[in-house]
Every structure is written in structure tokens, then in C-alpha cells.
Amino acid sequence: MLDPTVARLSKYLKPSPLVGLGLGVVVAIGCAIYSITLGTRDISLAVIFDSFTQFDHSFDHLIIQTVRLPRSLMALAVGAALAVAGAAIQGLTRNPLAETGILGIEAGGALAVVGTSFLFGSSTPSDYAGAAFVGAGIAAIVVYFCASLGPGGVTPLNLTIAGAAIAAFIAALTTSILILSQSTLDEIRFWLAGSLVGRDFGLFLRVLPVMVVGLILAFALSRQIATLSLGEDVATSLGQNTLTIKLLTVTSMVLLAGSAVAIAGPIGFVGLVVPHGVRFFIKTDYRWILPYSAVYGAILLL
């Protein structure tokens, strides 16, 4: 039998989740600093430091401030947004294979951007960003409406089935447009690949507040998502308004995934794999899963 004193001591020696979160933040900062050193031109850490303290518009300083630093900041933000959105949808649907693509959010944003290019020709990054937001929102609304028509209403199973069907249909429409219009394919194929190279940092700064709102909303719902992940009956018995929580969670996902797609195009994998990696340490507590996903999603994409 375990000695009570040893049991109490082991309780206090058990590492706090804050330790892993703090370690992740330190690693993210280190990765960001290292990423700024990467590129076709070798630039020393001393020159990088000088570009922040004694900026003189030299070629190296301009590369750091206008290319590498924006690229790293966008990677951190987009990675965090996609990972948090993926963790939230997995908790909402109780589906371990779920990510933002399962609600058709990324597919809707991609179709809207392709449709904008097809109808209006060359567009600015701001036009693409606006189209991606609108497309992501409409796709989420359509999926939610279709799920509500199924038996039992908006259940995790109905959401998953409706999302997969709508996402496949949207992807087929997108592919059809690209097959029919070579000019649209030439205009948009780099964006559809999903990348942070050459993205507009001004656009990122305009989209960033939306992303921050999505993150705050997701973190505020973390306790409710944790309860909902145990089952709708459990959540209802604890007095939770499950319909409101679902709507707010989907809203946060639209804001996060829509802003990420607007900046970098459709990027998969991050929203699927990061929450599973986080669960090795946090298990089922979404109050910690979501912030862990934000930090380690940022690290992964960076």
C-alpha cells in the first residue's frame, strides 16, 4: 500500500500543465529566431539583431524586416489558428479524424477564391481574403443547416456526414472550374497549394484581429467544449445549452479557419495532428488542449 506521505508528495511533484505550455512558448520563440536566419542569403545573428535595434535600410535589414520576419509571424499565427480550430471541431463532433475541412470551411473558402478569380480575373490579395471569409462562412452555414435536417438534429454524426458530403461537393465544383478555365488555374494554383511565401503582410495585419477574436472565443468556450466532448446527454444534464455552444464553437472555427485560409490558402494536416499530439500530455481537458494546440500548432507550421 502506498504511503500517504509519498502520495501527497507525488501530487505536488507532478508537473503542472503550465510547465509544458511555457516550454512550448520558449521553443516557439527559439524557432522564430532560427527561422529568420533561414533563406537564400546568409545573414548572421548579429546583423539580425541590428535590424531591430539599428535599422539602416540596408539590403540585409530589408530582407529581415520585409520578408523573413513577416513570414515567421504569419506561420506562428496561422499554425495556432488551424490547430485550435482542429481541436475545437474534434471536441464538438467527438470525431478523432475531424479538422476544419470536415465542415467544408477550407473548401468553401477555396471555392470562393477560385470563383472570384474566374468571374473577375486577377484580383488583389484583399479580394481573395474577403472571398475566403465569405466562402468559409457560407459553407459552415450550409453544413450546419444540412446537419439539422437529419434525425436528432445537429448531432456530431450528422455534422460529420453533412460536412464530408458538402466538402466533397465543393471540391468537385472547384476542380471543375479549374479544368474549364486555364487562366484561373494559372492565377490561383499557387494560392491553392497553401504557402506563406510572398504573402501580403499588410493583409495579415488586417486579418489578425479576426483571428484573435476567434482564438479568444475558442478559449472562452474551452470548459463547455470539454463537457460537450463527454456526450450531449452529459452536457445537457449539467445545464449546458448545447445548441448555443455548438453555434459559438462553429463561429470561432469559421473565424480561425477563414482567416488562416485568407492569409495562406488551404493548409491541411496541422488541425488534425496537433490536437492528437497534445492529448499525449493533456488527455481530455480542453481548457489546456486548446492553448497547447495554439502553441504547438504554431511551432509545427513554423
Side-chain angles (χ1 to χ4, degrees):
M1 184 175 179
L2 186 63
D3 189 297
T5 304
V6 175
R8 287 195 296 270
L9 184 61
S10 64
K11 176 182 177 182
Y12 289 113
L13 291 178
K14 184 179 180 181
S16 167
L18 280 173
V19 175
L21 196 62
L23 178 62
V25 171
V26 172
V27 172
I29 294 172
C31 290
I33 294 172
Y34 178 63
S35 73
I36 297 175
T37 68
L38 300 177
T40 56
R41 184 179 178 89
D42 291 330
I43 302 177
S44 66
L45 284 174
V47 174
I48 292 173
F49 181 75
D50 287 342
S51 72
F52 291 98
T53 59
Q54 302 174 20
F55 184 72
D56 59 8
H57 293 87
S58 64
F59 185 62
D60 286 346
H61 286 190
L62 286 172
I63 289 176
I64 294 165
Q65 295 291 336
T66 62
V67 178
R68 297 186 183 180
L69 179 61
R71 178 190 63 191
S72 298
L73 292 177
M74 287 188 286
L76 289 170
V78 171
L82 290 174
V84 170
I89 187 60
Q90 287 175 15
L92 179 66
T93 62
R94 303 197 298 279
N95 182 351
L97 295 178
E99 60 166 340
T100 52
I102 202 170
L103 289 185
I105 295 174
E106 292 182 0
L111 175 61
V113 171
V114 169
T116 299
S117 178
F118 177 69
L119 294 174
F120 304 107
S122 295
S123 300
T124 65
S126 296
D127 294 333
Y128 289 154
F133 267 116
V134 173
I138 292 175
I141 292 171
V142 171
V143 168
Y144 206 88
F145 173 75
C146 292
S148 68
L149 299 178
V154 187
T155 63
L157 179 60
N158 289 343
L159 267 178
T160 301
I161 294 174
I166 297 300
F169 177 68
I170 292 174
L173 289 179
T174 303
T175 303
S176 299
I177 294 174
L178 295 176
I179 291 174
L180 293 173
S181 175
Q182 182 65 40
S183 61
T184 302
L185 177 61
D186 293 338
E187 173 73 23
I188 210 67
R189 60 184 171 185
F190 181 69
W191 184 90
L192 285 174
S195 174
L196 293 161
V197 177
R199 298 306 192 191
D200 186 350
F201 190 62
L203 172 62
F204 167 70
L205 294 177
R206 292 194 293 274
V207 172
L208 184 60
V210 179
M211 189 179 290
V212 171
V213 171
L215 287 171
I216 293 174
L217 181 57
F219 293 153
L221 293 169
S222 59
R223 185 186 297 272
Q224 288 79 6
I225 294 173
T227 304
L228 198 58
S229 68
L230 300 176
E232 197 157 345
D233 293 338
V234 174
T236 303
S237 67
L238 293 174
Q240 191 174 105
N241 188 333
T242 56
L243 179 59
T244 301
I245 298 304
K246 290 175 185 176
L247 287 172
L248 291 175
T249 303
V250 171
T251 300
S252 71
M253 288 186 292
V254 169
L255 295 177
L256 291 171
S259 56
V261 170
I263 296 168
I267 295 180
F269 186 71
V270 176
L272 175 62
V273 72
V274 170
H276 287 289
V278 166
R279 288 191 188 94
F280 276 113
F281 308 100
I282 304 300
K283 306 305 180 186
T284 60
D285 191 348
Y286 278 83
R287 292 174 298 176
W288 289 106
I289 286 176
L290 294 183
Y292 262 73
S293 295
V295 172
Y296 288 96
I299 292 172
L300 177 62
L301 187 57
L302 183 63

Coordinates of all heavy atoms in Angstrom, one line a residue, residues 192-260:
L192 N -3.7 28.0 -54.0 CA -4.4 26.8 -53.6 C -3.4 25.8 -53.0 O -3.8 24.8 -52.3 CB -5.0 26.1 -54.9 CG -6.3 26.8 -55.3 CD1 -6.8 26.1 -56.6 CD2 -7.4 26.6 -54.3
A193 N -2.1 25.9 -53.3 CA -1.1 25.0 -52.8 C -1.0 25.2 -51.3 O -0.5 24.3 -50.5 CB 0.2 25.1 -53.5
G194 N -1.3 26.4 -50.8 CA -1.1 26.7 -49.4 C 0.3 27.0 -49.0 O 1.2 26.1 -49.0
S195 N 0.6 28.3 -48.8 CA 2.0 28.7 -48.6 C 2.1 30.0 -47.9 O 1.1 30.8 -47.9 CB 2.8 28.7 -49.9 OG 4.1 29.2 -49.7
L196 N 3.2 30.3 -47.3 CA 3.4 31.6 -46.6 C 4.4 32.4 -47.4 O 4.8 33.5 -47.0 CB 3.9 31.4 -45.2 CG 2.9 30.7 -44.3 CD1 3.5 30.1 -43.0 CD2 1.8 31.8 -43.9
V197 N 4.9 31.9 -48.5 CA 6.0 32.6 -49.3 C 5.3 33.7 -50.0 O 4.3 33.5 -50.8 CB 6.7 31.6 -50.2 CG1 7.7 32.4 -51.1 CG2 7.4 30.5 -49.5
G198 N 5.8 34.9 -49.9 CA 5.4 36.1 -50.6 C 4.0 36.6 -50.3 O 3.4 37.3 -51.0
R199 N 3.5 36.2 -49.1 CA 2.1 36.6 -48.7 C 2.2 38.1 -48.3 O 3.2 38.6 -47.8 CB 1.6 35.8 -47.6 CG 1.4 34.3 -47.9 CD 0.5 34.1 -49.2 NE 0.2 32.8 -49.4 CZ -0.4 32.3 -50.5 NH1 -0.6 33.0 -51.5 NH2 -0.7 31.0 -50.5
D200 N 1.1 38.8 -48.4 CA 1.0 40.2 -48.1 C 0.9 40.4 -46.6 O -0.1 40.0 -45.9 CB -0.3 40.8 -48.8 CG -0.4 42.3 -48.6 OD1 0.4 42.9 -47.8 OD2 -1.2 42.9 -49.3
F201 N 1.9 41.0 -46.0 CA 1.9 41.2 -44.5 C 0.9 42.3 -44.1 O 0.3 42.2 -43.0 CB 3.3 41.7 -44.1 CG 3.5 41.7 -42.6 CD1 3.4 40.5 -41.9 CD2 3.7 42.8 -41.9 CE1 3.5 40.5 -40.5 CE2 3.9 42.8 -40.5 CZ 3.8 41.7 -39.8
G202 N 0.6 43.2 -45.0 CA -0.5 44.2 -44.7 C -1.8 43.5 -44.6 O -2.6 43.8 -43.7
L203 N -2.1 42.5 -45.4 CA -3.3 41.8 -45.3 C -3.3 41.0 -44.0 O -4.4 40.9 -43.4 CB -3.4 40.8 -46.5 CG -4.5 39.8 -46.5 CD1 -5.9 40.5 -46.5 CD2 -4.4 38.8 -47.7
F204 N -2.2 40.4 -43.6 CA -2.1 39.7 -42.4 C -2.5 40.6 -41.2 O -3.3 40.2 -40.3 CB -0.7 39.1 -42.2 CG -0.5 38.6 -40.8 CD1 -1.1 37.5 -40.3 CD2 0.4 39.3 -40.0 CE1 -0.8 37.0 -39.0 CE2 0.7 38.8 -38.7 CZ 0.0 37.7 -38.2
L205 N -2.0 41.8 -41.2 CA -2.3 42.7 -40.1 C -3.8 43.1 -40.1 O -4.4 43.3 -39.0 CB -1.5 44.0 -40.2 CG 0.0 43.8 -40.0 CD1 0.8 45.1 -40.2 CD2 0.3 43.2 -38.7
R206 N -4.4 43.1 -41.3 CA -5.9 43.4 -41.3 C -6.7 42.2 -40.8 O -7.8 42.4 -40.3 CB -6.3 43.8 -42.7 CG -5.7 45.2 -43.1 CD -6.4 45.7 -44.4 NE -6.1 44.9 -45.6 CZ -5.1 45.0 -46.4 NH1 -4.2 46.0 -46.1 NH2 -4.9 44.3 -47.4
V207 N -6.2 41.0 -41.1 CA -7.0 39.8 -40.8 C -6.7 39.4 -39.3 O -7.5 38.7 -38.7 CB -6.6 38.7 -41.7 CG1 -7.2 37.3 -41.3 CG2 -7.1 39.0 -43.1
L208 N -5.6 39.8 -38.8 CA -5.1 39.4 -37.4 C -6.2 39.6 -36.3 O -6.4 38.8 -35.5 CB -3.8 40.1 -37.0 CG -3.2 39.7 -35.7 CD1 -2.9 38.2 -35.7 CD2 -1.9 40.5 -35.4
P209 N -6.9 40.8 -36.3 CA -7.9 41.0 -35.3 C -9.0 39.9 -35.3 O -9.5 39.5 -34.3 CB -8.5 42.4 -35.6 CG -7.3 43.1 -36.3 CD -6.7 42.0 -37.1
V210 N -9.4 39.5 -36.5 CA -10.4 38.5 -36.6 C -9.9 37.2 -36.1 O -10.6 36.5 -35.4 CB -10.8 38.3 -38.1 CG1 -11.9 37.2 -38.3 CG2 -11.4 39.6 -38.7
M211 N -8.7 36.9 -36.3 CA -8.1 35.6 -35.8 C -8.0 35.7 -34.3 O -8.3 34.7 -33.6 CB -6.7 35.5 -36.4 CG -6.0 34.2 -36.1 SD -4.4 34.0 -36.9 CE -4.8 33.9 -38.6
V212 N -7.6 36.8 -33.7 CA -7.6 37.0 -32.3 C -8.9 36.8 -31.7 O -9.1 36.1 -30.6 CB -7.0 38.4 -31.9 CG1 -7.1 38.6 -30.4 CG2 -5.5 38.4 -32.3
V213 N -10.0 37.4 -32.3 CA -11.3 37.2 -31.7 C -11.7 35.7 -31.8 O -12.3 35.2 -30.8 CB -12.3 38.0 -32.6 CG1 -13.8 37.6 -32.2 CG2 -12.1 39.5 -32.4
G214 N -11.4 35.0 -32.8 CA -11.6 33.6 -32.9 C -10.9 32.8 -31.8 O -11.5 31.9 -31.2
L215 N -9.7 33.1 -31.6 CA -8.9 32.4 -30.5 C -9.5 32.7 -29.1 O -9.7 31.8 -28.3 CB -7.5 32.9 -30.5 CG -6.6 32.4 -31.7 CD1 -5.2 33.1 -31.7 CD2 -6.4 30.9 -31.6
I216 N -9.9 34.0 -28.9 CA -10.4 34.3 -27.6 C -11.8 33.6 -27.4 O -12.0 33.0 -26.3 CB -10.6 35.8 -27.5 CG1 -9.3 36.5 -27.4 CG2 -11.5 36.2 -26.2 CD1 -9.4 38.1 -27.5
L217 N -12.6 33.5 -28.4 CA -13.9 32.8 -28.3 C -13.7 31.4 -28.1 O -14.4 30.8 -27.2 CB -14.7 33.1 -29.6 CG -16.1 32.4 -29.7 CD1 -16.9 32.9 -28.5 CD2 -16.7 32.7 -31.0
A218 N -12.7 30.7 -28.8 CA -12.5 29.3 -28.6 C -12.0 29.0 -27.1 O -12.4 28.1 -26.5 CB -11.4 28.8 -29.6
F219 N -11.0 29.9 -26.6 CA -10.5 29.7 -25.3 C -11.6 29.9 -24.2 O -11.7 29.2 -23.2 CB -9.4 30.6 -25.0 CG -8.2 30.4 -25.8 CD1 -7.3 31.4 -26.1 CD2 -7.9 29.1 -26.3 CE1 -6.1 31.1 -26.8 CE2 -6.8 28.8 -27.0 CZ -5.9 29.9 -27.3
A220 N -12.5 30.8 -24.5 CA -13.6 31.1 -23.6 C -14.6 29.9 -23.5 O -15.3 29.7 -22.5 CB -14.4 32.4 -24.0
L221 N -14.7 29.2 -24.6 CA -15.6 28.0 -24.7 C -14.9 26.7 -24.3 O -15.6 25.6 -24.4 CB -16.2 27.9 -26.1 CG -17.1 29.0 -26.6 CD1 -17.3 28.8 -28.1 CD2 -18.4 29.0 -25.9
S222 N -13.7 26.7 -23.8 CA -12.9 25.5 -23.6 C -13.6 24.6 -22.6 O -13.7 23.4 -22.8 CB -11.5 25.8 -23.2 OG -11.5 26.6 -22.0
R223 N -14.1 25.2 -21.5 CA -14.8 24.3 -20.5 C -16.1 23.7 -21.1 O -16.3 22.5 -20.8 CB -15.2 25.2 -19.3 CG -15.7 24.4 -18.1 CD -16.2 25.4 -17.0 NE -15.1 26.1 -16.5 CZ -14.3 25.7 -15.5 NH1 -14.5 24.5 -14.9 NH2 -13.3 26.4 -15.0
Q224 N -16.8 24.5 -21.8 CA -18.1 23.9 -22.4 C -17.7 22.8 -23.5 O -18.4 21.8 -23.6 CB -18.9 25.0 -23.1 CG -19.5 26.0 -22.1 CD -18.6 27.0 -21.5 OE1 -17.5 27.1 -21.9 NE2 -19.1 27.8 -20.5
I225 N -16.7 23.1 -24.2 CA -16.3 22.0 -25.2 C -15.8 20.8 -24.5 O -16.2 19.7 -25.0 CB -15.1 22.6 -26.1 CG1 -15.6 23.8 -27.0 CG2 -14.6 21.5 -27.1 CD1 -14.6 24.5 -27.8
A226 N -15.1 20.9 -23.4 CA -14.7 19.7 -22.7 C -15.9 18.9 -22.2 O -16.0 17.7 -22.2 CB -13.9 20.1 -21.5
T227 N -17.0 19.6 -21.7 CA -18.2 19.0 -21.3 C -18.9 18.3 -22.4 O -19.4 17.2 -22.3 CB -19.1 20.0 -20.6 OG1 -18.4 20.6 -19.5 CG2 -20.3 19.3 -20.0
L228 N -19.0 19.1 -23.5 CA -19.7 18.5 -24.7 C -19.0 17.3 -25.3 O -19.7 16.4 -25.9 CB -19.8 19.7 -25.8 CG -20.9 19.5 -26.9 CD1 -22.2 19.3 -26.3 CD2 -20.8 20.7 -27.8
S229 N -17.7 17.3 -25.2 CA -16.9 16.1 -25.7 C -17.2 14.8 -24.9 O -17.0 13.7 -25.4 CB -15.4 16.4 -25.6 OG -15.0 16.4 -24.3
L230 N -17.8 15.0 -23.7 CA -18.2 13.8 -23.0 C -19.5 13.2 -23.4 O -19.9 12.1 -23.0 CB -18.3 14.1 -21.5 CG -17.0 14.6 -20.8 CD1 -17.3 15.0 -19.4 CD2 -15.9 13.6 -20.9
G231 N -20.3 13.9 -24.3 CA -21.6 13.5 -24.8 C -22.6 14.6 -24.6 O -22.6 15.3 -23.6
E232 N -23.5 14.6 -25.5 CA -24.5 15.7 -25.4 C -25.5 15.4 -24.2 O -25.9 16.4 -23.6 CB -25.3 15.7 -26.7 CG -26.1 17.0 -26.9 CD -26.5 17.2 -28.4 OE1 -25.8 16.6 -29.3 OE2 -27.3 18.0 -28.6
D233 N -25.7 14.2 -23.9 CA -26.6 13.9 -22.7 C -26.0 14.4 -21.4 O -26.7 15.0 -20.6 CB -26.9 12.4 -22.6 CG -27.8 11.9 -23.8 OD1 -28.5 12.8 -24.4 OD2 -27.8 10.7 -24.1
V234 N -24.7 14.2 -21.3 CA -24.0 14.7 -20.1 C -24.0 16.2 -20.1 O -24.3 16.8 -19.0 CB -22.5 14.1 -20.1 CG1 -21.7 14.7 -19.0 CG2 -22.5 12.6 -20.1
A235 N -23.7 16.8 -21.2 CA -23.7 18.3 -21.2 C -25.1 18.9 -20.9 O -25.2 19.8 -20.1 CB -23.2 18.8 -22.6
T236 N -26.1 18.3 -21.4 CA -27.5 18.7 -21.1 C -27.8 18.5 -19.7 O -28.5 19.4 -19.0 CB -28.5 18.0 -22.0 OG1 -28.1 18.2 -23.4 CG2 -29.9 18.5 -21.8
S237 N -27.4 17.4 -19.1 CA -27.8 17.1 -17.7 C -27.0 18.1 -16.8 O -27.5 18.3 -15.6 CB -27.4 15.7 -17.4 OG -26.0 15.5 -17.4
L238 N -25.9 18.7 -17.2 CA -25.2 19.6 -16.4 C -25.7 21.1 -16.6 O -25.1 22.0 -16.2 CB -23.7 19.6 -16.7 CG -23.0 18.3 -16.3 CD1 -21.6 18.2 -16.8 CD2 -23.1 18.1 -14.8
G239 N -26.8 21.2 -17.4 CA -27.4 22.5 -17.6 C -26.8 23.3 -18.8 O -27.0 24.5 -18.9
Q240 N -26.1 22.7 -19.6 CA -25.4 23.4 -20.7 C -26.4 23.5 -21.9 O -27.1 22.6 -22.3 CB -24.2 22.6 -21.2 CG -23.3 23.4 -22.2 CD -22.0 22.7 -22.5 OE1 -21.9 22.1 -23.5 NE2 -21.1 22.7 -21.5
N241 N -26.5 24.7 -22.5 CA -27.3 25.0 -23.7 C -26.4 24.5 -24.9 O -25.6 25.3 -25.4 CB -27.6 26.4 -23.8 CG -28.6 26.7 -24.9 OD1 -28.6 26.0 -25.9 ND2 -29.4 27.8 -24.8
T242 N -26.6 23.3 -25.3 CA -25.7 22.7 -26.3 C -25.8 23.3 -27.6 O -24.8 23.5 -28.3 CB -26.0 21.2 -26.4 OG1 -27.4 21.0 -26.7 CG2 -25.7 20.4 -25.1
L243 N -27.0 23.8 -28.0 CA -27.2 24.4 -29.3 C -26.4 25.7 -29.4 O -25.7 26.0 -30.4 CB -28.6 24.7 -29.6 CG -29.0 25.4 -30.9 CD1 -28.5 24.6 -32.1 CD2 -30.5 25.7 -31.0
T244 N -26.4 26.5 -28.3 CA -25.7 27.8 -28.3 C -24.2 27.5 -28.3 O -23.4 28.2 -29.0 CB -26.0 28.6 -27.0 OG1 -27.4 28.8 -27.0 CG2 -25.3 29.9 -27.0
I245 N -23.7 26.5 -27.6 CA -22.3 26.2 -27.5 C -21.8 25.7 -28.9 O -20.8 26.1 -29.4 CB -22.0 25.1 -26.5 CG1 -22.4 25.6 -25.1 CG2 -20.6 24.7 -26.5 CD1 -21.7 26.9 -24.7
K246 N -22.7 24.9 -29.6 CA -22.3 24.5 -30.9 C -22.2 25.6 -31.9 O -21.2 25.7 -32.7 CB -23.3 23.5 -31.4 CG -23.3 22.1 -30.7 CD -24.4 21.2 -31.2 CE -24.5 19.9 -30.5 NZ -25.7 19.1 -30.9
L247 N -23.1 26.5 -31.8 CA -23.1 27.7 -32.7 C -21.9 28.6 -32.5 O -21.2 29.0 -33.4 CB -24.4 28.5 -32.6 CG -25.7 27.9 -33.2 CD1 -26.9 28.7 -32.8 CD2 -25.6 27.8 -34.7
L248 N -21.6 28.8 -31.2 CA -20.5 29.7 -30.9 C -19.1 29.0 -31.3 O -18.2 29.6 -31.8 CB -20.5 30.0 -29.4 CG -21.6 30.9 -28.9 CD1 -21.5 31.1 -27.4 CD2 -21.4 32.3 -29.6
T249 N -19.1 27.7 -31.1 CA -17.9 26.9 -31.4 C -17.7 27.0 -33.0 O -16.5 27.2 -33.4 CB -17.9 25.5 -30.9 OG1 -18.2 25.5 -29.5 CG2 -16.7 24.7 -31.2
V250 N -18.7 26.7 -33.7 CA -18.6 26.8 -35.2 C -18.2 28.2 -35.6 O -17.4 28.4 -36.5 CB -19.9 26.3 -35.8 CG1 -19.9 26.6 -37.3 CG2 -20.2 24.9 -35.6
T251 N -18.8 29.2 -34.9 CA -18.4 30.6 -35.3 C -16.9 30.8 -35.1 O -16.2 31.4 -35.9 CB -19.2 31.6 -34.4 OG1 -20.6 31.4 -34.6 CG2 -18.8 33.0 -34.7
S252 N -16.4 30.3 -34.0 CA -14.9 30.5 -33.7 C -14.1 29.8 -34.8 O -13.1 30.3 -35.2 CB -14.6 30.0 -32.3 OG -14.6 28.6 -32.2
M253 N -14.6 28.6 -35.2 CA -13.8 27.9 -36.2 C -13.9 28.6 -37.5 O -12.9 28.6 -38.3 CB -14.4 26.4 -36.3 CG -14.0 25.6 -35.1 SD -14.6 23.9 -35.4 CE -16.3 24.0 -35.3
V254 N -15.0 29.2 -37.9 CA -15.1 29.9 -39.1 C -14.1 31.1 -39.1 O -13.4 31.4 -40.1 CB -16.5 30.4 -39.4 CG1 -16.6 31.4 -40.5 CG2 -17.4 29.2 -39.7
L255 N -14.1 31.8 -38.0 CA -13.1 32.9 -37.9 C -11.7 32.5 -38.0 O -10.9 33.1 -38.7 CB -13.4 33.7 -36.5 CG -14.7 34.3 -36.3 CD1 -14.8 34.9 -34.9 CD2 -15.0 35.4 -37.4
L256 N -11.4 31.4 -37.3 CA -10.0 30.9 -37.3 C -9.6 30.3 -38.7 O -8.6 30.7 -39.2 CB -9.8 29.9 -36.2 CG -9.9 30.4 -34.8 CD1 -9.9 29.2 -33.8 CD2 -8.7 31.3 -34.5
A257 N -10.4 29.4 -39.2 CA -10.1 28.8 -40.4 C -10.2 29.8 -41.6 O -9.3 29.7 -42.5 CB -11.0 27.6 -40.7
G258 N -11.2 30.6 -41.5 CA -11.4 31.6 -42.6 C -10.2 32.6 -42.7 O -9.7 32.9 -43.8
S259 N -9.7 33.0 -41.5 CA -8.6 34.0 -41.5 C -7.3 33.2 -41.9 O -6.5 33.8 -42.7 CB -8.4 34.6 -40.1 OG -8.2 33.5 -39.1
A260 N -7.1 32.0 -41.5 CA -5.9 31.2 -41.9 C -5.9 31.0 -43.5 O -4.9 31.2 -44.1 CB -5.9 29.9 -41.2

